[in-house]
Amino acid sequence: TVPPASTAVLTTSSLPDAARRTASEALITRLSSEVWDFLVTFTEEYSPRESGTDEEKAAAEFLVREFEALGYRTELQPFTIEVLSREMPLLRLSAGEEQDIHGFPLRFSGRGRASGSLVDIGIGRFEDFPQSTLVGKIALFERGQLTFGEKVSRATNAGALAAVIYNNVPGMFGGSLARQAQIPAISISKKNGEAILELMTG
């Protein structure tokens, strides 16, 4: 690492206590303001920064310019990552007319294609599971109380082909499992989850 080209040094040991406090407070105020301005710019102009996107690349180049302006040598090191596709649709319902539901794959979701009847598992506690097997079926969970990994693991152990987790608050959400799952697992919005439950009651 190369130190900045110009460095400001503040020596306060020879100043009276009151003057030293004033100088320190002024420095803290200035640095806090600069950090806040940087954060606002980075958040408003370089977000979202999802891995492997043009937005992430633009954010990286912005950071390069900032560090180089301070006198540092910088280098962008390319590397390969693997992400699950979010191409539509991730969930297709066949209840009367076919309906495509927008969803996100959970990180460490299993891959593949699953087709089967949806079964409402509620929150996903052991007592929420039906007495009958889930073999050949898809588990539908509500988000909350248990981790995503626990829900998907229990669905897998019960024989489910896949797991769908709907939000417990408005909007979409993304999430991650603790380890690689054996079955596909996706998240959907609260609105779509409740709509599916209504179809299932019919």
Side-chain angles (χ1 to χ4, degrees):
T1 301
V2 178
S6 60
T7 304
V9 179
L10 176 66
T11 303
T12 60
S13 58
S14 60
L15 296 176
D17 288 346
R20 185 163 59 247
R21 282 197 301 271
T22 300
S24 297
E25 289 170 357
L27 179 61
I28 291 171
T29 299
R30 179 175 65 82
L31 292 177
S32 297
S33 177
E34 290 178 0
V35 168
W36 179 253
D37 290 343
F38 172 85
L39 181 60
V40 169
T41 300
F42 196 53
T43 302
E44 292 183 349
E45 298 182 18
Y46 297 94
S47 293
R49 299 182 295 276
E50 185 176 355
S51 297
T53 62
D54 291 338
E55 292 82 0
E56 184 205 29
K57 184 171 185 283
E61 292 171 345
F62 167 75
L63 293 176
V64 164
R65 293 192 298 272
E66 291 293 307
F67 278 110
E68 289 179 343
L70 292 172
Y72 289 94
R73 285 201 305 263
T74 63
E75 178 185 2
L76 290 179
Q77 299 177 341
F79 59 93
T80 301
I81 64 170
E82 187 177 84
V83 294
L84 292 174
S85 172
R86 292 185 176 184
E87 292 181 2
M88 290 285 283
L90 284 182
L91 179 62
R92 172 167 290 166
L93 296 180
S94 297
E97 294 184 5
E98 285 193 345
Q99 180 181 354
D100 290 341
I101 302 293
H102 183 50
F104 292 154
L106 296 176
R107 189 172 180 226
F108 297 125
S109 164
R111 302 180 188 181
R113 187 183 185 93
S115 178
S117 299
L118 282 163
V119 179
D120 179 19
I121 313 295
I123 294 294
R125 296 163 299 192
F126 287 116
E127 58 267 30
D128 295 330
F129 278 76
Q131 296 298 318
S132 57
T133 179
L134 288 183
V135 172
K137 299 179 180 179
I138 297 174
L140 176 67
F141 294 99
E142 180 182 5
R143 181 185 183 185
Q145 295 189 22
L146 303 174
T147 66
F148 303 137
E150 288 176 303
K151 296 176 191 288
V152 174
S153 177
R154 292 178 182 183
T156 303
N157 293 336
L161 295 176
V164 177
I165 303 174
Y166 65 91
N167 211 349
N168 55 359
V169 295
M172 294 288 294
F173 71 97
S176 177
L177 308 175
R179 58 182 61 87
Q180 183 64 49
Q182 299 176 33
I183 62 175
I186 68 168
S187 64
I188 62 174
S189 69
K190 175 182 175 69
K191 179 180 178 180
N192 283 330
E194 291 176 344
I196 290 173
L197 288 174
E198 185 174 344
L199 285 173
M200 291 170 66
T201 60

